[in-house]
């Protein structure tokens, strides 16, 4: 398939086979979450992790980014550690581990003899050094004159207390948020597209939006080799990025096309009309 014809498309097929048609150093950003551990059997399919990681390295532009969202199953009383092994393999093949971020979410309480898991890892890999970073900002609590807290200041010989006072005066109005991101999940929170919940594991749209805004610019190409319900493609289109979405399941490709729009509405049996969207 011609690379130009691949952009802004949901492509049904094995991601390793499809990615062979993507030229080297052509993808600005990948945002994806692979099936993992006991979930790696995906509608009867499984994937070659090492093969995919190498393809991601080949197709990612120099200084481009891969966001790999993954967690660990607990099997026979022990967490698998699959996420860490995958992160180390990405490093072995040449990626830099730019950040180990946390996706924290609300999950129903269970009855295990441990503190319940309420997060997944978001590994941010860079091919070289970071080029694009558009940080998400938050308003700082202490700004300007309001940053000076009440209390007694003891001046040392080097006037260290005075320097601390001046530093507090100069707190900027906005600062960069930290690397633990919290998202509400579930109906009308992960997404307002009711049809999306036909897929068993969907991204919060806001999570994808935050990563696409952070690591890419308008016009960049965003890839998701495990597109699933189509969230990455939908959000990339909304943010004026080009996208390539790949999924091996024809059922989920139909679902993704419905959510993204702009492609033929091939009939997804449980939801053929746009009234499925709120």
């Amino acid at each position: 398939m011609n690379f130009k014809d691949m952009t802004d498309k949901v492509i049904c097929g094995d991601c390793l086979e499809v990615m062979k048609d993507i030229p080297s150093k052509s993808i600005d950003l990948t945002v994806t979450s692979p099936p993992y551990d006991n979930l790696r059997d995906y509608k009867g399919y499984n994937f070659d992790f090492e093969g995919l990681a190498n393809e991601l390295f080949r197709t990612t532009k120099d200084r481009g980014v891969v966001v790999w969202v993954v967690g660990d199953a607990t099997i026979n009383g022990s967490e698998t550690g699959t996420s860490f092994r995958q992160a180390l393999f990405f490093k072995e093949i040449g990626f830099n581990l730019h950040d180990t971020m946390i996706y924290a979410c609300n999950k129903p309480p269970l009855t295990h003899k441990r503190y319940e898991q309420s997060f997944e890892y978001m590994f941010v890999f860079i091919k070289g050094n970071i080029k694009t970073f558009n940080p998400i900002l938050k308003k700082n609590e202490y700004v300007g004159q309001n940053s000076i807290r009440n209390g007694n200041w003891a001046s040392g010989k080097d006037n260290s207390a005075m320097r601390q006072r001046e530093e507090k005066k100069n707190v900027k109005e906005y600062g960069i948020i930290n690397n633990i991101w919290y998202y509400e999940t579930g109906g009308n929170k992960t997404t307002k597209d009711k049809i999306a919940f036909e897929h068993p594991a969907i991204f919060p749209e806001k999570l994808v939006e935050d990563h696409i805004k952070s690591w890419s610019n308008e016009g960049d190409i965003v890839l998701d080799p495990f597109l699933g319900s189509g969230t990455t493609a939908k959000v990339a289109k909304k943010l004026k990025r080009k996208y390539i979405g790949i999924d091996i399941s024809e059922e989920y490709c139909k679902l993704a096309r419905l959510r993204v729009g702009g492609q033929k509405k091939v009939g997804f049996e449980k939801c053929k009309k746009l009234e499925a969207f709120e």
Side-chain angles (χ1 to χ4, degrees):
M1 183 182 297
N2 185 283
F3 179 59
K4 186 176 180 181
D5 295 334
M6 297 176 73
T7 56
D8 295 333
K9 293 290 190 303
V10 174
I11 303 168
C12 191
D14 184 322
C15 57
L16 276 176
E17 292 300 315
V18 174
M19 289 177 68
K20 289 178 181 178
D21 290 330
I22 299 178
S24 298
K25 301 182 179 181
S26 58
I27 302 298
D28 297 283
L29 170 65
T30 295
V31 180
T32 195
S33 181
Y36 57 85
D37 288 335
N38 57 323
L39 300 178
R40 295 179 75 179
D41 182 16
Y42 183 76
K43 294 189 75 66
Y45 304 101
N46 51 52
F47 77 101
D48 173 7
F49 163 69
E50 293 188 0
L52 177 63
N54 279 294
E55 275 297 284
L56 287 173
F57 187 80
R58 181 186 68 81
T59 56
T60 299
K61 289 182 179 179
D62 291 338
R63 307 180 75 183
V65 176
V66 172
V67 178
W68 188 261
V69 183
V70 69
D72 294 307
T74 299
I75 299 175
N76 295 326
S78 175
E79 293 184 3
T80 61
T82 297
S83 58
F84 297 110
R85 286 193 291 270
Q86 290 181 347
L88 291 173
F89 186 79
F90 274 110
K91 285 172 60 68
E92 287 173 9
I93 64 174
F95 279 106
N96 289 326
L97 179 53
H98 184 70
D99 199 353
T100 300
M101 302 181 65
I102 297 295
Y103 154 36
C105 60
N106 57 313
K107 291 188 177 181
L110 301 174
T111 56
H112 298 147
K113 293 182 179 179
R114 60 169 56 87
Y115 298 108
E116 296 304 335
Q117 194 82 299
S118 62
F119 73 91
E120 293 183 9
Y121 297 104
M122 301 187 293
F123 294 112
V124 180
F125 301 104
I126 310 292
K127 190 175 178 180
N129 297 319
I130 188 68
K131 177 183 178 182
T132 300
F133 179 48
N134 307 306
I136 300 170
L137 303 178
K138 65 175 181 178
K139 194 175 181 68
N140 285 323
E141 183 178 358
Y142 298 102
V143 180
Q145 295 294 331
N146 294 328
S147 67
I148 303 174
R149 303 178 186 180
N150 294 328
N152 296 321
W153 292 83
S155 296
K157 293 181 180 179
D158 59 355
N159 293 318
S160 59
M162 292 302 296
R163 282 202 300 274
Q164 291 177 30
R165 186 182 181 94
E166 290 301 317
E167 287 172 3
K168 287 181 179 294
K169 284 184 180 179
N170 294 326
V171 172
K172 295 181 179 179
E173 185 175 2
Y174 290 92
I176 299 174
I177 65 173
N178 64 31
N179 64 354
I180 302 177
W181 291 0
Y182 296 86
Y183 299 97
E184 293 292 319
T185 58
N188 210 37
K189 296 175 182 177
T190 303
T191 177
K192 292 184 178 180
D193 299 346
K194 290 181 179 178
I195 188 176
F197 293 93
E198 297 294 340
H199 191 279
I202 57 177
F203 272 141
E205 286 186 12
K206 188 64 170 62
L207 178 153
V208 178
E209 180 177 324
D210 288 344
H211 277 299
I212 291 178
K213 284 182 175 179
S214 294
W215 313 112
S216 71
N217 297 308
E218 290 187 7
D220 284 352
I221 299 176
V222 179
L223 169 69
D224 188 344
F226 300 103
L227 185 63
S229 67
T231 302
T232 299
K234 176 186 176 181
V235 176
K237 180 180 178 181
K238 170 188 169 185
L239 297 176
K240 299 180 180 180
R241 275 71 165 170
K242 298 176 183 179
Y243 65 85
I244 300 175
I246 308 169
D247 201 275
I248 201 166
S249 166
E250 180 62 41
E251 181 182 4
Y252 293 149
C253 286
K254 292 175 182 179
L255 169 59
R257 290 176 185 133
L258 278 173
R259 291 189 70 206
V260 175
Q263 297 189 49
K264 184 179 179 181
K265 301 293 191 299
V266 281
F268 186 70
E269 289 301 318
K270 294 186 179 179
C271 193
K272 293 183 179 180
K273 297 181 180 180
L274 291 179
E275 283 78 11
F277 297 84
E278 288 188 345

